[in-house]
Structures are given as C-alpha cells and as structure tokens.
Amino acid sequence: MTTTATNIKPLRPRTTEVQYPRPTLDELVQLCIDFELITEVISVDGKFHFLCKDEQFIVSPAESIILVRGLLIGYFAAHTRDDLSLADWID
C-alpha cells in the first residue's frame, strides 16, 4: 500500500521575471582581462585592438561587444556548463 507524501509542494511557475541591466563594454572587457582571455586593449582611430590568446583583432565598437561576449560565453560554457546567452538582459 502506498501513502501520499505530505511534505512535497508542487513547483510553481515564476510569477515575476528577473531582468538584469546589460553590462557595459568596459565591464565585459574587464571580465575578459580578469579571466585572462584578453591581454591587451588599445583604442586607435575609433577602432579597438584586442590581443586575445596571441591573436590580434581590430574591430569597431559594435563588433567589440560581440567579440567580448563570445569570449565570455565560451569561457563560462567550457568551465561551468552554464550558458550566459540565455540571460534575460534589459534592452
């Protein structure tokens, strides 16, 4: 004979969404530097020069955001199996 468990509560859907402010480019670059993904950053004539793992990237400000996000997503996915691309950023 089975008995009904009384100490288990049903899962409830989250009633409020958690949203985070979008990180700035400076914050993302600093994280990349902290995790040793980027070793040097230079701004020249409106372009950014990134030295990443002994390879140089020369990118526009818009492209630099994509670059550093990609570096961080790859880093976290490889080390924690957590995917930051699923975060709900506030636009």
Side-chain angles (χ1 to χ4, degrees):
M1 182 169 135
T2 61
T3 60
T4 304
T6 58
N7 63 343
I8 299 174
K9 295 181 181 179
L11 294 175
R12 286 181 261 174
R14 188 185 301 176
T15 57
T16 59
E17 290 187 27
V18 177
Q19 294 185 336
Y20 303 95
R22 186 174 296 276
T24 65
L25 177 59
D26 289 338
E27 291 170 331
L28 293 173
V29 168
Q30 189 56 54
L31 281 173
C32 286
I33 291 170
D34 293 345
F35 294 130
E36 299 177 351
L37 302 171
I38 294 175
T39 54
E40 186 177 354
V41 180
I42 300 170
S43 177
V44 178
D45 296 330
K47 297 259 186 189
F48 291 100
H49 297 240
F50 290 100
L51 187 59
C52 307
K53 302 291 183 182
D54 297 328
E55 186 171 346
Q56 185 175 17
F57 295 90
I58 302 171
V59 294
S60 70
E63 293 168 332
S64 63
I65 292 172
I66 296 168
L67 175 65
V68 294
R69 280 188 189 161
L71 288 170
L72 289 168
I73 287 170
Y75 176 83
F76 280 102
H79 287 86
T80 65
R81 302 295 182 238
D82 187 17
D83 189 357
L84 291 179
S85 66
L86 300 177
D88 186 16
W89 304 114
I90 298 172
D91 285 326

